[in-house]
Amino acid sequence: MPQIQLTPAERREHRANAHHLDPVVMIGGDGLTAAVQKEVDAALSAHGLIKVRILGDDRAARDQIYQKLADELDAAPIQHIGKLIVLWRPPAQKAKTVDEDRMPGPRDIKVLKFSKRGGQRPEVKQLRVLGNQRLTPGGQIKRAKKPKQTSVKKRQAD
């Protein structure tokens, strides 16, 4: 898979975001093994932007590992300074499942209760209204109104 190509501005932004990160994967003396590559792939899937520390003294080998990870994991090489490398891969889009039978969830509503005297601040109350409830104009929570039932004869006439 080809690696992702970024503009210099995008690369600079990812470098700035990676500054405070700690390395999540360390590559030891055995080099880039299948298990290490799997861990880097999992970390990229979970975080998107990661730092990897390569514990080796050979700069050419570190550079080769850097390019190989970027190529094989479909990631963008962001930065390579000394023994630290930074890789980025955009997060995968998750498919949302639509459940037709799902009822509305709870809603948090702010209710202002004004004082009878005009000079005081209104009292603010946070209320949680569930899916089968409604809020009355007076600020009370009541069960939702059911639709009016019509008689069988009227339904047949319509």
Side-chain angles (χ1 to χ4, degrees):
M1 290 184 258
Q3 63 188 16
I4 299 171
Q5 299 297 323
L6 297 176
T7 64
E10 291 171 329
R11 193 175 308 280
R12 181 175 51 242
E13 182 179 341
H14 290 305
R15 265 198 319 263
N17 291 336
H19 178 72
H20 73 282
L21 296 179
D22 292 326
V24 293
V25 178
M26 291 192 185
I27 301 175
D30 292 341
L32 187 61
T33 61
V36 170
Q37 193 165 346
K38 184 178 175 184
E39 284 300 315
V40 172
D41 187 35
L44 279 170
S45 297
H47 303 291
L49 183 67
I50 63 167
K51 272 187 186 178
V52 178
R53 183 176 300 277
I54 304 172
L55 303 173
D57 291 332
D58 187 16
R59 177 159 176 79
R62 288 195 307 258
D63 196 37
Q64 186 180 14
I65 290 172
Y66 177 53
Q67 292 303 323
K68 187 174 181 182
L69 281 174
D71 287 337
E72 292 184 4
L73 298 180
D74 193 27
I78 301 296
Q79 188 176 32
H80 178 205
I81 294 180
K83 295 183 179 186
L84 284 176
I85 63 172
V86 179
L87 297 170
W88 175 77
R89 184 168 62 194
Q93 297 294 327
K94 295 181 182 177
K96 286 191 173 183
T97 58
V98 178
D99 188 9
E100 298 295 330
D101 297 333
R102 183 167 181 206
M103 300 298 288
R107 301 180 313 270
D108 291 328
I109 298 175
K110 283 185 184 177
V111 176
L112 294 176
K113 184 176 181 183
F114 293 98
S115 133
K116 293 184 180 179
R117 292 188 285 164
Q120 294 183 347
R121 288 185 176 169
E123 181 184 340
V124 179
K125 290 195 315 188
Q126 284 278 92
L127 299 176
R128 175 162 282 183
V129 179
L130 301 177
N132 62 345
Q133 297 175 336
R134 65 185 173 92
L135 192 65
T136 64
Q140 301 292 320
I141 295 178
K142 294 199 174 182
R143 274 189 277 148
K145 290 183 178 178
K146 294 180 182 178
K148 287 190 175 182
Q149 293 182 346
T150 57
S151 69
V152 176
K153 291 180 182 177
K154 285 187 179 178
R155 273 188 263 158
Q156 290 174 353
D158 290 336

